[in-house]
Amino acid sequence: MQSLQKVRVRAKFFFEGDRKFFIKGATYGPFAPDAEGEHFGDPAKLAKDLALIADTGINLLRVYYVPPRWFLDACAAHGVRVLVTIPWAEHIEFLNDRKIRREVVRAVREGVAKNAGHPAIFGYLVGNEIPTSMVRWLGARRVTEFVEELINVAREADPTALYSYASFPPTEYLLPQNVDFYTFNVYLHRQEDFDRYLARLQNLAEDRPLVMGEFGMDTIRHPEEEQAEMLTWHIESVVRGGLAGTVLYAWTDEWFRGGNEIMDWNFGLVRRDRTPKKALAAVKRYFAGDEPMTRKIGLATYPKVSVIVCSYNGAKTLERCLESLKEVDYPNYEVILVDDGSKDNTQEIAARHPWIVNIQQVNKGLSVARNVGGYAATGEILAYTDSDCMADPDWLYYLVHTLTSGDYCGVGGPNISPPAEDWIQACVSAAPGGPSHVLLTDVVAEHIPGCNMAFHKWAFEKIGGFDPEYRKAGDDVDFCWRLQQEGQVIAFSPAAIVWHYRRFTLQAFRKQQEGYGEAESLLRFKHLVFFGPTGTAKWRGQIYGAPRFTWLINRPVIYHGVFGEGLFQCIYPTPQSEIAAYVSSIEWVTLAGAIFVASIPLPFLRIVPYLMFGATLLVALSYMIHAKLEPRFDTIRARLLVIFLALSQPLVRGWTRYYVWLKFKRTPPGVIAAPEEGYRPVKGGSITNLEFWNEETGTGREALLPAVIDALEREGWSYSMDTGWKDWDVQVYGSFWWGIKMLSVTEYHGGPKALTRVRLTTHMVATTLLFHVVLLGILAFRQFSMDGWDYAPQIVYAIFAGVLGYRAFRLKRRVAELVGAAAQKVGLTRVQKK
């Protein structure tokens, strides 16, 4: 008997020790039952089969009954593992009848216990293709929970095995959360369709391995040459798609089911007499040998990749980062370390890795460091990761394959937390606010995280690299949005994994969220169209895997097809709940606090803030329940810390977002007060509606707008430009209280005659509006609670409002002068209405 190590799961892949284990499987049987009722044939036939199976390179057999001990011993002797499908009556109403339910649970428990601990056991499938009509009858949620119950029962019987459930496209929404890997039986005979569906399943599988549980072609209805060709591209698609393996259906045409020998379907790699079909040689070409599958199924080209690691005081994890990059299985790459002024022992670590390009600079921030690495790179592709990340050995293989598979400018992959070192880090890993990808489709991304992204160098140069304004975070979001505004498309590769350490302490987590809040504020200033009124990003895409507020709202929509029998019945996840986001926000909590203060003299209002705080707590409680904690750290105190982090994270982030916005995103008073040099304003002219005439060259807004932007830049104003979705051209951020929106249009009156109209609109910033509402509410409640009428607070408020009104007028007049001066420079003449 060969010594078989237990296979373990690490994110999207299986590992046998330190080596990746790719499932090269085939189904075996079932055969006609023998005298003992076993469906595995006789030992002599098995021995002949296993010799040929091992020679083909097949390392796993999927069986459909619990095998006898002699079968497992024979498999182990040939180095072949077994994936056991535990049979039970999926086609009958198994949930509502207690007796049937108990029998199913007993069958699973006893089936696993029968061979517990056997080295040949790879794992168990606790169910196989529950009919879609039965799922609809019983309810998808109840069925999913029952499958999870079966897995828990099985795991108690044998905690060393791996567990899954074999689903199929009609019930792709059955996604039990406690599986070790996801298994899907998929029969699609067109590679293009198959590849698209794999991408969808990979995203549904999130950070767990995906295995094809069955795939094959019948050689009665199709020629053997077509079967061989299809299995060839199937294996290539599975490997390049980042799956953890595939199980081909079937080893032999011999097949017994429902009390009968099946004679009208021939899916085997070999015939009933075990003579090989053409498909066996095609499969053996890829399965035989120990060479990694990503080498056997290589890329069409291997362009040089420059891996850029930017680090600031990242010595704690830098050694592990560089060691992982050294082991990347890609033939043509370099590693560039940009030390952004670290004060720890980063350079000491770098000196131990002379094979890297080591660049030192004074601290200038993350974006500058990424630009320095990009301009120093000699590769055609720039791949970025962070010093607190470890790359999977096939990281570059999957990035480059996806990037070169279509008309993409860039590509990203998931970042997954490695096992936590203590319970606090485990809670931080499970807390909201971590870096994640946002997908527009199963293969196109809206955003990819900066710790795992790659771009063609021409794309980097096309938009001038990263914006140096982003020193801590946000540079990746800005970079992606700018590329998309240039018409470029960014791809996503679910198998291009980096292991990303989450923060080790609560203080580090708080600083991280403050950095994200600052980045959101800077991004909002530059990309206003992508943000809501509270300053949080409005993602157009889907964030896979994020815990949701699903008790009452935002449940996924399941499409069941015509009469519930559609072949591909999809699950459509709803977007992140806006209600949950609002009731968790700092604006909501602040308003609840203000109402609570106002309710002190009015006890009948006290219920309102209580309900508001209760809604906030309910969202955090929902997050705590759905958060994925490592089992060894999943304790009551850990769950309590998660709910605290879920409550505090949006508040910390929101506070920093407002602080940065109000501190930095306003024009200095000296700029507003300074007059335009060389410009004489029109006396008595409107400062709201401006008109400019030109009858020599037909110049209009196409010249005026660049001149206005040039003046704003030169004089030091804070502003945003329309990116194509706003009803204004420029928004000027004036003071703490006010801003100005500019909208323009040009009329053409024959020949070169053109009239350009400009409208300037004053608007309150969100904090100003909230301040006025709260202040007026407090004044109203105060007056309501008094016996007499107190004019003093109203007079003070009126004076305050008058001062604000005058500052708004002064700001608008100043902007009108700036627009007038810009118009004068491009040859436009101000028209004064009579």
Side-chain angles (χ1 to χ4, degrees), residues 330-352:
Y330 188 84
N332 190 16
Y333 75 103
E334 65 178 349
V335 174
I336 300 172
L337 173 65
V338 182
D339 180 3
D340 190 33
S342 298
K343 299 177 182 177
D344 56 11
N345 62 327
T346 291
Q347 282 304 306
E348 198 177 301
I349 295 170
R352 296 199 290 267

PDB file of all heavy atoms in Angstrom, residues 330-352:
ATOM      1  N   TYR A 330       6.775  30.764 -13.004  1.00  0.00           N
ATOM      2  CA  TYR A 330       6.602  31.516 -14.250  1.00  0.00           C
ATOM      3  C   TYR A 330       8.006  31.772 -14.801  1.00  0.00           C
ATOM      4  O   TYR A 330       8.903  32.210 -14.062  1.00  0.00           O
ATOM      5  CB  TYR A 330       5.873  32.830 -13.981  1.00  0.00           C
ATOM      6  CG  TYR A 330       5.481  33.590 -15.230  1.00  0.00           C
ATOM      7  CD1 TYR A 330       4.308  33.290 -15.906  1.00  0.00           C
ATOM      8  CD2 TYR A 330       6.283  34.607 -15.735  1.00  0.00           C
ATOM      9  CE1 TYR A 330       3.926  33.982 -17.056  1.00  0.00           C
ATOM     10  CE2 TYR A 330       5.921  35.301 -16.884  1.00  0.00           C
ATOM     11  CZ  TYR A 330       4.744  34.990 -17.532  1.00  0.00           C
ATOM     12  OH  TYR A 330       4.380  35.674 -18.667  1.00  0.00           O
ATOM     13  N   PRO A 331       8.231  31.521 -16.076  1.00  0.00           N
ATOM     14  CA  PRO A 331       9.615  31.507 -16.586  1.00  0.00           C
ATOM     15  C   PRO A 331      10.238  32.861 -16.870  1.00  0.00           C
ATOM     16  O   PRO A 331      11.440  32.915 -17.156  1.00  0.00           O
ATOM     17  CB  PRO A 331       9.481  30.703 -17.891  1.00  0.00           C
ATOM     18  CG  PRO A 331       8.090  30.964 -18.353  1.00  0.00           C
ATOM     19  CD  PRO A 331       7.264  31.077 -17.112  1.00  0.00           C
ATOM     20  N   ASN A 332       9.482  33.958 -16.810  1.00  0.00           N
ATOM     21  CA  ASN A 332      10.027  35.223 -17.303  1.00  0.00           C
ATOM     22  C   ASN A 332       9.524  36.393 -16.469  1.00  0.00           C
ATOM     23  O   ASN A 332       8.575  37.067 -16.847  1.00  0.00           O
ATOM     24  CB  ASN A 332       9.632  35.399 -18.783  1.00  0.00           C
ATOM     25  CG  ASN A 332      10.345  36.565 -19.451  1.00  0.00           C
ATOM     26  OD1 ASN A 332      11.344  37.074 -18.933  1.00  0.00           O
ATOM     27  ND2 ASN A 332       9.835  36.995 -20.588  1.00  0.00           N
ATOM     28  N   TYR A 333      10.158  36.626 -15.317  1.00  0.00           N
ATOM     29  CA  TYR A 333       9.720  37.737 -14.472  1.00  0.00           C
ATOM     30  C   TYR A 333      10.881  38.264 -13.635  1.00  0.00           C
ATOM     31  O   TYR A 333      11.896  37.597 -13.440  1.00  0.00           O
ATOM     32  CB  TYR A 333       8.561  37.319 -13.581  1.00  0.00           C
ATOM     33  CG  TYR A 333       8.924  36.430 -12.398  1.00  0.00           C
ATOM     34  CD1 TYR A 333       9.011  36.940 -11.110  1.00  0.00           C
ATOM     35  CD2 TYR A 333       9.174  35.069 -12.578  1.00  0.00           C
ATOM     36  CE1 TYR A 333       9.319  36.127 -10.028  1.00  0.00           C
ATOM     37  CE2 TYR A 333       9.487  34.249 -11.518  1.00  0.00           C
ATOM     38  CZ  TYR A 333       9.555  34.781 -10.230  1.00  0.00           C
ATOM     39  OH  TYR A 333       9.871  33.982  -9.169  1.00  0.00           O
ATOM     40  N   GLU A 334      10.703  39.498 -13.166  1.00  0.00           N
ATOM     41  CA  GLU A 334      11.634  40.124 -12.233  1.00  0.00           C
ATOM     42  C   GLU A 334      10.829  40.658 -11.049  1.00  0.00           C
ATOM     43  O   GLU A 334       9.618  40.863 -11.149  1.00  0.00           O
ATOM     44  CB  GLU A 334      12.386  41.275 -12.915  1.00  0.00           C
ATOM     45  CG  GLU A 334      11.475  42.434 -13.318  1.00  0.00           C
ATOM     46  CD  GLU A 334      12.229  43.607 -13.948  1.00  0.00           C
ATOM     47  OE1 GLU A 334      13.471  43.611 -13.894  1.00  0.00           O
ATOM     48  OE2 GLU A 334      11.551  44.514 -14.481  1.00  0.00           O
ATOM     49  N   VAL A 335      11.518  40.869  -9.939  1.00  0.00           N
ATOM     50  CA  VAL A 335      10.872  41.428  -8.736  1.00  0.00           C
ATOM     51  C   VAL A 335      11.580  42.716  -8.369  1.00  0.00           C
ATOM     52  O   VAL A 335      12.809  42.746  -8.242  1.00  0.00           O
ATOM     53  CB  VAL A 335      10.917  40.439  -7.555  1.00  0.00           C
ATOM     54  CG1 VAL A 335      10.377  41.093  -6.293  1.00  0.00           C
ATOM     55  CG2 VAL A 335      10.124  39.184  -7.887  1.00  0.00           C
ATOM     56  N   ILE A 336      10.789  43.778  -8.225  1.00  0.00           N
ATOM     57  CA  ILE A 336      11.312  45.094  -7.857  1.00  0.00           C
ATOM     58  C   ILE A 336      10.740  45.485  -6.509  1.00  0.00           C
ATOM     59  O   ILE A 336       9.511  45.557  -6.338  1.00  0.00           O
ATOM     60  CB  ILE A 336      10.945  46.158  -8.918  1.00  0.00           C
ATOM     61  CG1 ILE A 336      11.516  45.779 -10.279  1.00  0.00           C
ATOM     62  CG2 ILE A 336      11.427  47.536  -8.490  1.00  0.00           C
ATOM     63  CD1 ILE A 336      11.030  46.677 -11.404  1.00  0.00           C
ATOM     64  N   LEU A 337      11.606  45.704  -5.541  1.00  0.00           N
ATOM     65  CA  LEU A 337      11.190  46.186  -4.223  1.00  0.00           C
ATOM     66  C   LEU A 337      11.435  47.685  -4.150  1.00  0.00           C
ATOM     67  O   LEU A 337      12.552  48.147  -4.363  1.00  0.00           O
ATOM     68  CB  LEU A 337      11.974  45.478  -3.115  1.00  0.00           C
ATOM     69  CG  LEU A 337      11.757  46.023  -1.700  1.00  0.00           C
ATOM     70  CD1 LEU A 337      10.329  45.804  -1.236  1.00  0.00           C
ATOM     71  CD2 LEU A 337      12.753  45.394  -0.721  1.00  0.00           C
ATOM     72  N   VAL A 338      10.375  48.447  -3.867  1.00  0.00           N
ATOM     73  CA  VAL A 338      10.506  49.887  -3.673  1.00  0.00           C
ATOM     74  C   VAL A 338      10.312  50.165  -2.189  1.00  0.00           C
ATOM     75  O   VAL A 338       9.203  50.067  -1.664  1.00  0.00           O
ATOM     76  CB  VAL A 338       9.476  50.668  -4.510  1.00  0.00           C
ATOM     77  CG1 VAL A 338       9.684  52.172  -4.308  1.00  0.00           C
ATOM     78  CG2 VAL A 338       9.595  50.310  -5.986  1.00  0.00           C
ATOM     79  N   ASP A 339      11.408  50.478  -1.511  1.00  0.00           N
ATOM     80  CA  ASP A 339      11.379  50.789  -0.083  1.00  0.00           C
ATOM     81  C   ASP A 339      11.086  52.279   0.067  1.00  0.00           C
ATOM     82  O   ASP A 339      11.947  53.125  -0.184  1.00  0.00           O
ATOM     83  CB  ASP A 339      12.725  50.415   0.542  1.00  0.00           C
ATOM     84  CG  ASP A 339      12.771  50.713   2.034  1.00  0.00           C
ATOM     85  OD1 ASP A 339      11.744  51.164   2.586  1.00  0.00           O
ATOM     86  OD2 ASP A 339      13.836  50.503   2.641  1.00  0.00           O
ATOM     87  N   ASP A 340       9.880  52.587   0.499  1.00  0.00           N
ATOM     88  CA  ASP A 340       9.423  53.975   0.570  1.00  0.00           C
ATOM     89  C   ASP A 340       9.805  54.615   1.899  1.00  0.00           C
ATOM     90  O   ASP A 340       8.960  55.036   2.686  1.00  0.00           O
ATOM     91  CB  ASP A 340       7.904  54.025   0.380  1.00  0.00           C
ATOM     92  CG  ASP A 340       7.373  55.437   0.198  1.00  0.00           C
ATOM     93  OD1 ASP A 340       8.089  56.274  -0.396  1.00  0.00           O
ATOM     94  OD2 ASP A 340       6.253  55.706   0.670  1.00  0.00           O
ATOM     95  N   GLY A 341      11.122  54.676   2.174  1.00  0.00           N
ATOM     96  CA  GLY A 341      11.611  55.355   3.364  1.00  0.00           C
ATOM     97  C   GLY A 341      11.349  54.609   4.655  1.00  0.00           C
ATOM     98  O   GLY A 341      11.107  55.238   5.696  1.00  0.00           O
ATOM     99  N   SER A 342      11.429  53.282   4.635  1.00  0.00           N
ATOM    100  CA  SER A 342      11.159  52.488   5.839  1.00  0.00           C
ATOM    101  C   SER A 342      12.193  52.782   6.913  1.00  0.00           C
ATOM    102  O   SER A 342      13.376  53.028   6.633  1.00  0.00           O
ATOM    103  CB  SER A 342      11.166  50.995   5.503  1.00  0.00           C
ATOM    104  OG  SER A 342      10.144  50.679   4.582  1.00  0.00           O
ATOM    105  N   LYS A 343      11.740  52.700   8.177  1.00  0.00           N
ATOM    106  CA  LYS A 343      12.626  52.936   9.318  1.00  0.00           C
ATOM    107  C   LYS A 343      12.890  51.646  10.089  1.00  0.00           C
ATOM    108  O   LYS A 343      13.555  51.679  11.120  1.00  0.00           O
ATOM    109  CB  LYS A 343      12.015  53.983  10.243  1.00  0.00           C
ATOM    110  CG  LYS A 343      11.811  55.336   9.554  1.00  0.00           C
ATOM    111  CD  LYS A 343      11.127  56.331  10.470  1.00  0.00           C
ATOM    112  CE  LYS A 343      10.888  57.663   9.756  1.00  0.00           C
ATOM    113  NZ  LYS A 343      10.155  58.651  10.603  1.00  0.00           N
ATOM    114  N   ASP A 344      12.337  50.525   9.605  1.00  0.00           N
ATOM    115  CA  ASP A 344      12.590  49.245  10.254  1.00  0.00           C
ATOM    116  C   ASP A 344      13.742  48.534   9.526  1.00  0.00           C
ATOM    117  O   ASP A 344      14.544  49.188   8.853  1.00  0.00           O
ATOM    118  CB  ASP A 344      11.310  48.399  10.281  1.00  0.00           C
ATOM    119  CG  ASP A 344      10.732  48.193   8.873  1.00  0.00           C
ATOM    120  OD1 ASP A 344      11.429  48.526   7.884  1.00  0.00           O
ATOM    121  OD2 ASP A 344       9.595  47.708   8.759  1.00  0.00           O
ATOM    122  N   ASN A 345      13.818  47.229   9.642  1.00  0.00           N
ATOM    123  CA  ASN A 345      14.936  46.486   9.043  1.00  0.00           C
ATOM    124  C   ASN A 345      14.599  45.962   7.644  1.00  0.00           C
ATOM    125  O   ASN A 345      15.033  44.878   7.248  1.00  0.00           O
ATOM    126  CB  ASN A 345      15.351  45.332   9.953  1.00  0.00           C
ATOM    127  CG  ASN A 345      14.238  44.317  10.155  1.00  0.00           C
ATOM    128  OD1 ASN A 345      13.068  44.689  10.178  1.00  0.00           O
ATOM    129  ND2 ASN A 345      14.609  43.055  10.325  1.00  0.00           N
ATOM    130  N   THR A 346      13.840  46.730   6.877  1.00  0.00           N
ATOM    131  CA  THR A 346      13.494  46.330   5.511  1.00  0.00           C
ATOM    132  C   THR A 346      14.733  46.087   4.661  1.00  0.00           C
ATOM    133  O   THR A 346      14.821  45.103   3.923  1.00  0.00           O
ATOM    134  CB  THR A 346      12.594  47.399   4.865  1.00  0.00           C
ATOM    135  OG1 THR A 346      11.321  47.403   5.501  1.00  0.00           O
ATOM    136  CG2 THR A 346      12.414  47.152   3.381  1.00  0.00           C
ATOM    137  N   GLN A 347      15.698  46.978   4.743  1.00  0.00           N
ATOM    138  CA  GLN A 347      16.899  46.834   3.921  1.00  0.00           C
ATOM    139  C   GLN A 347      17.750  45.635   4.341  1.00  0.00           C
ATOM    140  O   GLN A 347      18.410  45.012   3.515  1.00  0.00           O
ATOM    141  CB  GLN A 347      17.733  48.118   3.980  1.00  0.00           C
ATOM    142  CG  GLN A 347      17.182  49.225   3.116  1.00  0.00           C
ATOM    143  CD  GLN A 347      17.042  48.793   1.668  1.00  0.00           C
ATOM    144  OE1 GLN A 347      17.990  48.324   1.036  1.00  0.00           O
ATOM    145  NE2 GLN A 347      15.836  48.941   1.127  1.00  0.00           N
ATOM    146  N   GLU A 348      17.692  45.306   5.594  1.00  0.00           N
ATOM    147  CA  GLU A 348      18.394  44.122   6.075  1.00  0.00           C
ATOM    148  C   GLU A 348      17.819  42.863   5.422  1.00  0.00           C
ATOM    149  O   GLU A 348      18.543  41.952   5.003  1.00  0.00           O
ATOM    150  CB  GLU A 348      18.227  44.049   7.597  1.00  0.00           C
ATOM    151  CG  GLU A 348      19.197  43.156   8.310  1.00  0.00           C
ATOM    152  CD  GLU A 348      18.981  43.216   9.814  1.00  0.00           C
ATOM    153  OE1 GLU A 348      19.083  44.320  10.383  1.00  0.00           O
ATOM    154  OE2 GLU A 348      18.686  42.161  10.386  1.00  0.00           O
ATOM    155  N   ILE A 349      16.500  42.831   5.307  1.00  0.00           N
ATOM    156  CA  ILE A 349      15.829  41.693   4.662  1.00  0.00           C
ATOM    157  C   ILE A 349      16.124  41.695   3.165  1.00  0.00           C
ATOM    158  O   ILE A 349      16.408  40.647   2.566  1.00  0.00           O
ATOM    159  CB  ILE A 349      14.315  41.752   4.924  1.00  0.00           C
ATOM    160  CG1 ILE A 349      14.034  41.586   6.422  1.00  0.00           C
ATOM    161  CG2 ILE A 349      13.572  40.701   4.111  1.00  0.00           C
ATOM    162  CD1 ILE A 349      12.604  41.860   6.812  1.00  0.00           C
ATOM    163  N   ALA A 350      16.050  42.856   2.551  1.00  0.00           N
ATOM    164  CA  ALA A 350      16.304  42.946   1.112  1.00  0.00           C
ATOM    165  C   ALA A 350      17.713  42.467   0.760  1.00  0.00           C
ATOM    166  O   ALA A 350      17.924  41.860  -0.300  1.00  0.00           O
ATOM    167  CB  ALA A 350      16.101  44.384   0.637  1.00  0.00           C
ATOM    168  N   ALA A 351      18.671  42.715   1.645  1.00  0.00           N
ATOM    169  CA  ALA A 351      20.049  42.312   1.384  1.00  0.00           C
ATOM    170  C   ALA A 351      20.180  40.793   1.314  1.00  0.00           C
ATOM    171  O   ALA A 351      21.113  40.269   0.687  1.00  0.00           O
ATOM    172  CB  ALA A 351      20.967  42.870   2.463  1.00  0.00           C
ATOM    173  N   ARG A 352      19.240  40.085   1.938  1.00  0.00           N
ATOM    174  CA  ARG A 352      19.277  38.621   1.893  1.00  0.00           C
ATOM    175  C   ARG A 352      18.685  38.075   0.592  1.00  0.00           C
ATOM    176  O   ARG A 352      18.646  36.861   0.388  1.00  0.00           O
ATOM    177  CB  ARG A 352      18.518  38.045   3.097  1.00  0.00           C
ATOM    178  CG  ARG A 352      19.140  38.389   4.442  1.00  0.00           C
ATOM    179  CD  ARG A 352      18.661  37.450   5.532  1.00  0.00           C
ATOM    180  NE  ARG A 352      17.261  37.649   5.886  1.00  0.00           N
ATOM    181  CZ  ARG A 352      16.825  38.434   6.875  1.00  0.00           C
ATOM    182  NH1 ARG A 352      17.713  39.124   7.593  1.00  0.00           N
ATOM    183  NH2 ARG A 352      15.548  38.536   7.141  1.00  0.00           N
TER     184      ARG A 352
END
